[in-house]
């Protein structure tokens, strides 16, 4: 799937319904939060094993796919609204992350990059410094 | 940008750092929430006009691009973790939405689809019925 | 702690700094999302057992207390901005939930209330119907 | 409303239904995210003026009160699960914020505290440094 095709398809969808006037950055951000909330509701009382089991049922696979698609929809529309090229942005961010988390330091650790150079390697998961 | 290329690139990134063990559905969902929070922080004290002005500065454009990219990253990884084909999911969801929001009923209205057939068209924005 | 005291203290804090102009409902909602994101960052790579262990360290207890307090702060300010009496609201909502989830039906089940009367009790966690 | 009373009432509610087993920190955090999403859905297509108008209708006032109450419920339960005294935490955090945002520097500015001492006062809203 090409993100640019999705963007164009959503753009047509919006234009046909005269919805562009609602698609301000903050409206879209709040709509994105609403969809993330719906995703969280699918996960909140399930363990990871139960999520994976649920994802293998037709009903669960569709519910998860729908919520992930809704999040992507508002993300693409929000990027469009603020003039961000989402494809370029994600590749640029992976490059930045590769520099922040060099393989030899980050391997197997969930420490935040600001903690990686500490001699003791940081408390795992210490992403709150 | 092809989503499948991004997915593969993130997969390699994760594998090289031995991070797959952290990439459970719920971990990734919470990480997604963290990134949505960072995006919200860029928007919280700005009007829409100020967001657009900010998005035209080099610093603002980069900050917004980074946060949108981080959200996309965790979204792609979460879809991967639960076995959802994000590209197929978004196209299927747009098809569903096109059926739920027919152009002649939805035009110019921000009513939820469950409200669209009411004679009075629903209170605009009545997405809470 | 009385919520009304917190509300008054926050009100004074805001008035002294001439910040009331920023405290619109949507600004506060986005600020709340930002704080929920910071909380999620404390939990994202930790298991529940690791969260509890972290909560017993002085650093972790303070980090968690700070994020929970930030969320409460924006929640109280948002309730104030839209004229909701948060104390009355939470007691009214517990009453509603007690009616929706009668003890004899809900006991030990994480099914959504709309699923509780099904003969099979619903798939546990089926909060997505 | 006393937060401690709410905590005790929720505790009884949970115990009566044998739900304590679901109330792990991460479950409650995801449930909190779900409720924040529902709140965002009430605000997403409304301007601040429309939110305030909506909040003055009986239906809108109840919808907002319910969502704010749901967020408070999970916040109190999450604080309880990690052993944080929410009342003490919020007062301690207001004290910290008073030190971070002295009246003479912060007055009328939405700059982040890290920006407050810059000679030029920082770009307003520059909470992304």
């Amino acid at each position: 799937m090409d993100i640019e095709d999705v963007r164009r398809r959503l753009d047509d969808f919006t234009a046909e319904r005269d919805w562009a006037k609602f698609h301000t950055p903050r409206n879209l951000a709040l709509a994105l939060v609403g969809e993330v909330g719906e995703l969280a509701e699918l996960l909140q009382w399930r363990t990871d094993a139960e999520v994976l089991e649920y994802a293998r049922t037709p009903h669960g696979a569709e519910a998860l796919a729908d919520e992930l698609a809704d999040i992507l929809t508002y993300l693409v529309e929000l990027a469009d609204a603020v003039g961000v090229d989402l494809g370029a942005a994600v590749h640029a961010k992976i490059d930045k992350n590769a520099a922040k988390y060099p393989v030899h330091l980050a391997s197997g650790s969930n420490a935040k990059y600001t903690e990686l150079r500490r001699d003791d390697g940081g408390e795992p998961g210490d992403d709150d410094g």
Side-chain angles (χ1 to χ4, degrees), chain A:
Chain A
M1 176 202 60
D2 193 81
I3 277 278
E4 180 57 20
D5 290 345
V6 173
R7 194 193 64 72
R8 267 194 300 263
R9 211 182 150 198
L10 290 171
D11 217 47
D12 291 347
F13 188 93
T14 299
E16 282 170 9
R17 283 159 188 76
D18 189 21
W19 282 358
K21 62 188 173 193
F22 301 127
H23 285 195
T24 70
R26 286 160 56 104
N27 282 10
L28 292 167
L30 285 166
L32 178 71
V33 170
E35 298 302 337
V36 170
E38 293 188 25
L39 176 71
E41 288 178 13
L42 297 183
L43 309 180
Q44 65 195 13
W45 308 130
R46 290 182 165 98
T47 64
D48 278 313
E50 287 165 350
V51 171
L52 294 177
E53 191 184 331
Y54 178 64
R56 282 189 297 266
T57 66
H59 173 66
E62 186 177 355
L64 288 163
D66 279 357
E67 296 313 334
L68 293 167
D70 284 340
I71 296 171
L72 182 60
T73 292
Y74 285 123
L75 188 66
V76 168
E77 292 180 342
L78 177 50
D80 202 27
V82 297
V84 164
D85 177 334
L86 197 52
V90 78
H91 283 296
K93 196 57 176 19
I94 299 173
D95 291 340
K96 279 192 205 182
N97 284 341
K100 269 161 65 172
Y101 294 95
V103 169
H104 69 288
L105 286 173
S107 185
S109 162
N110 58 355
K112 202 173 184 179
Y113 69 95
T114 45
E115 303 290 316
L116 279 182
R117 279 166 185 78
R118 286 178 17 184
D119 286 334
D120 64 359
E123 181 196 70
D126 196 4
D127 43 0
D128 45 284

